[in-house]
């Protein structure tokens, strides 16, 4: 297959996406023809075989080696259009499938998936709905609540309340108390998240979060709990599977961006580590009963947002009380959570083959549906200028 891998993007997780994509391309190229599709921080689309090299990004050469490209949102085109210069004109690269590896906004939030739907190209991961709901913490938690899943207490601050930090702090302080976490509703990788233990730090945390989003979620700090994550793999017509659980190990009181991506991994010689380089305990050191509960909640969260492909679900566990809470779902997880699946007996290469298979099956199911309806409306239209 010829597989396009889209990465980078106008997102605070731009660099994380580059690492994930290169891990994916390294695995895919053993069986498939890989087409790197890089989106700059400014939103420029580029493609070139030379973009499958991390050194290009470290040295800031991506825009000099890449050619302008885009995916036309036209059914039947089926690929990437690359502009090679005025003399040669554009050329087409047909794509059998696309792997969206853009984390965060304009990639994990349903926007990129919408483009691929319009272009009628099979793609891995969740669809427009699952991606959009999974990206927005307010919509996501609403879906979890409807599904009967335990969630962390929170309060949403938006509009005029967010414009006045004193009012915002009053609301959060009264509803949540301390400790608390303030976070943008539509970002990941712990960017913009702050912990508050008193009024001053709560005010500062809200101030930081509102710089990244026009809505801020303030959640209860789950003291005495540990974070336990696992991954789910599935799609239409397939029974979803759940991976082993992990306990990430943080230097700080919560997993910061540095904890997740900038700490040394166990294999310094690997091409790229991403989330796989984070310190973690696999399997998580919790009881079998708690493990089963976390995994069951993860399967429920996966279904609640209509996710597909591979996702990672992050949870809190109180070992003393035996309680668990679903924190969030990541529909395009860092490193595609391959380290969890390898610990579950599924090699990274086979994980990617499963994702491609799910993508092709999902596309076929959609292709069999009806999207048009012939009516007599236009034939009976009398030319009235307005109405409906």
């Amino acid at each position: 297959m010829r597989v396009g891998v889209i990465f980078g993007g106008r997102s605070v997780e731009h660099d994380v996406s580059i690492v994930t994509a290169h891990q994916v391309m390294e695995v895919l190229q053993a069986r498939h023809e890989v087409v790197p599709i890089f989106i700059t921080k400014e939103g420029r689309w580029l493609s070139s075989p030379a973009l499958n090299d991390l050194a290009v990004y470290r040295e800031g050469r991506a825009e000099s080696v890449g050619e302008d490209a885009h995916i036309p949102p036209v059914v039947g085109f089926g690929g990437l259009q690359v502009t090679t210069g005025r003399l040669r004109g554009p050329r087409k690269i047909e794509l059998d499938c696309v792997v969206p590896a853009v984390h965060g906004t304009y990639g994990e939030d349903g926007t990129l998936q919408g483009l691929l739907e319009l272009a009628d190209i099979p793609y891995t991961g969740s669809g427009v709905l699952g991606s959009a709901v999974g990206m927005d913490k307010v919509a996501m938690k609403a879906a979890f609540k409807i599904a009967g899943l335990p969630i962390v207490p929170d309060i949403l601050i938006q509009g005029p309340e967010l414009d006045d930090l004193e009012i915002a702090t009053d609301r959060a302080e009264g509803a949540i108390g301390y400790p608390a976490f303030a976070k943008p509703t539509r970002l990941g990788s712990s960017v913009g998240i702050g912990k508050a233990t008193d009024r001053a730090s709560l005010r500062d945390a809200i101030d930081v979060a509102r710089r990244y989003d026009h809505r801020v979620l303030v959640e209860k700090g789950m003291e005495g709990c540990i974070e336990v994550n696992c991954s789910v793999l599935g799609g239409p017509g397939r029974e979803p599977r759940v991976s082993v659980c992990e306990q990430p190990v943080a230097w700080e009181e919560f997993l910061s961006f540095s904890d997740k991506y900038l700490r040394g991994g166990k294999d310094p010689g690997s091409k790229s580590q991403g989330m796989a380089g984070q310190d973690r305990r696999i399997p998580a050191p919790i009881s079998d009963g708690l493990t089963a509960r976390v995994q069951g909640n993860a399967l429920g969260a996966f279904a609640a947002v209509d996710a597909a492909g591979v996702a990672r679900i992050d949870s809190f566990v109180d070992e003393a009380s035996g309680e668990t809470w679903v924190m969030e779902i990541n529909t395009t997880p860092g490193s595609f959570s391959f380290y969890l699946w390898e610990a579950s007996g599924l090699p990274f290469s086979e994980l990617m083959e499963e994702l491609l298979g799910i993508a092709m099956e999902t596309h076929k199911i959609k292709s069999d549906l009806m999207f048009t309806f012939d009516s007599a409306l236009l034939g009976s239209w009398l030319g009235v200028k307005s109405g409906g």
Side-chain angles (χ1 to χ4, degrees):
M1 294 173 62
R2 184 178 289 136
V3 182
V5 179
I6 305 179
F7 57 101
R10 292 190 292 147
S11 167
V12 296
E13 299 177 84
H14 178 93
D15 293 349
V16 180
S17 171
I18 292 174
V19 173
T20 293
H22 280 73
Q23 292 173 317
V24 167
M25 291 190 289
E26 187 175 21
V27 169
L28 285 176
Q29 62 193 10
R31 301 184 187 180
H32 306 284
E33 180 182 347
V34 175
V35 180
I37 306 170
F38 174 60
I39 305 175
T40 69
K41 291 182 178 180
E42 295 72 35
R44 183 183 175 193
W45 287 46
L46 303 168
S47 185
S48 167
L51 292 171
N52 189 3
D53 181 358
L54 274 177
V56 167
Y57 307 92
R58 294 192 183 103
E59 298 164 6
R61 296 187 290 111
E63 295 196 55
S64 63
V65 303
E67 298 176 306
D68 285 308
H70 70 280
I71 294 177
V74 180
V75 174
F77 187 82
L80 185 73
Q81 184 160 295
V82 180
T83 303
T84 57
R86 293 181 179 179
L87 296 178
R88 295 177 59 189
R91 74 178 191 277
K92 174 184 175 182
I93 300 177
E94 293 186 358
L95 298 174
D96 296 306
C97 190
V98 166
V99 178
V102 178
H103 302 300
T105 50
Y106 303 114
E108 191 175 352
D109 58 0
T111 52
L112 179 56
Q113 290 75 12
L115 169 63
L116 296 171
E117 291 283 352
L118 291 173
D120 197 32
I121 298 175
Y123 61 91
T124 62
S126 296
V128 175
L129 176 65
S131 299
V133 174
M135 186 68 188
D136 188 295
K137 293 178 176 64
V138 177
M140 174 189 68
K141 294 183 76 169
F144 291 168
K145 190 173 182 179
I146 291 172
L149 298 171
I151 58 174
V152 177
D154 66 75
I155 184 173
L156 175 65
I157 303 174
Q158 59 184 337
E161 287 183 331
L162 198 57
D163 295 334
D164 189 317
L165 279 177
E166 296 305 323
I167 293 177
T169 305
D170 285 343
R171 278 206 67 205
E173 192 174 46
I176 302 300
Y178 301 104
F181 285 90
K183 54 183 67 175
T185 62
R186 290 169 52 83
L187 285 185
S189 292
S190 299
V191 174
I193 296 179
K195 182 178 181 179
T197 55
D198 54 33
R199 184 177 179 84
S201 57
L202 178 59
R203 186 182 187 280
D204 290 343
I206 294 173
D207 188 29
V208 170
R210 70 175 182 170
R211 298 173 189 270
Y212 291 94
D213 203 319
H214 67 283
R215 298 190 302 167
V216 170
L217 200 67
V218 179
E219 292 182 328
K220 178 182 177 181
M222 305 301 285
E223 285 195 317
C225 296
I226 62 171
E227 181 177 334
V228 176
N229 308 330
C230 66
S231 180
V232 175
L233 175 65
R238 293 194 180 201
E239 188 71 25
R241 287 183 284 165
V242 66
S243 75
V244 298
C245 293
E246 61 158 337
Q247 181 194 359
V249 181
W251 282 356
E252 302 180 20
E253 293 180 276
F254 71 99
L255 286 171
S256 67
F257 184 94
S258 298
D259 289 324
K260 291 181 176 180
Y261 304 111
L262 302 181
R263 297 166 64 177
K266 297 178 181 178
D267 181 13
S270 65
K271 180 177 179 181
S272 54
Q273 296 175 63
M275 281 292 287
Q278 178 192 332
D279 289 340
R280 59 187 78 250
R281 298 188 180 104
I282 303 178
I286 56 177
S287 68
D288 291 345
L290 277 175
T291 296
R293 195 169 303 164
V294 169
Q295 291 174 326
N297 287 342
L299 290 168
F302 191 85
V305 304
D306 192 29
V310 67
R312 192 188 75 243
I313 294 84
D314 302 343
S315 301
F316 283 122
V317 169
D318 186 332
E319 293 182 278
S321 69
E323 293 179 278
T324 62
W325 297 265
V326 179
M327 187 188 344
E328 64 180 11
I329 185 170
N330 298 273
T331 56
T332 308
S335 300
F336 281 21
S337 294
F338 77 82
Y339 48 90
L340 288 173
W341 288 103
E342 288 193 334
S344 304
L346 184 68
F348 194 6
S349 59
E350 295 305 316
L351 172 64
M352 291 311 305
E353 291 305 308
E354 290 230 19
L355 291 180
L356 293 177
I358 291 171
M360 302 306 288
E361 290 170 13
T362 302
H363 185 262
K364 184 180 183 307
I365 290 172
K366 289 179 181 177
S367 298
D368 291 338
L369 299 175
M370 295 182 64
F371 292 97
T372 60
F373 173 70
D374 293 327
S375 73
L377 178 61
L378 294 179
S380 62
W381 190 253
L382 299 177
V384 179
K385 292 185 179 179
S386 62

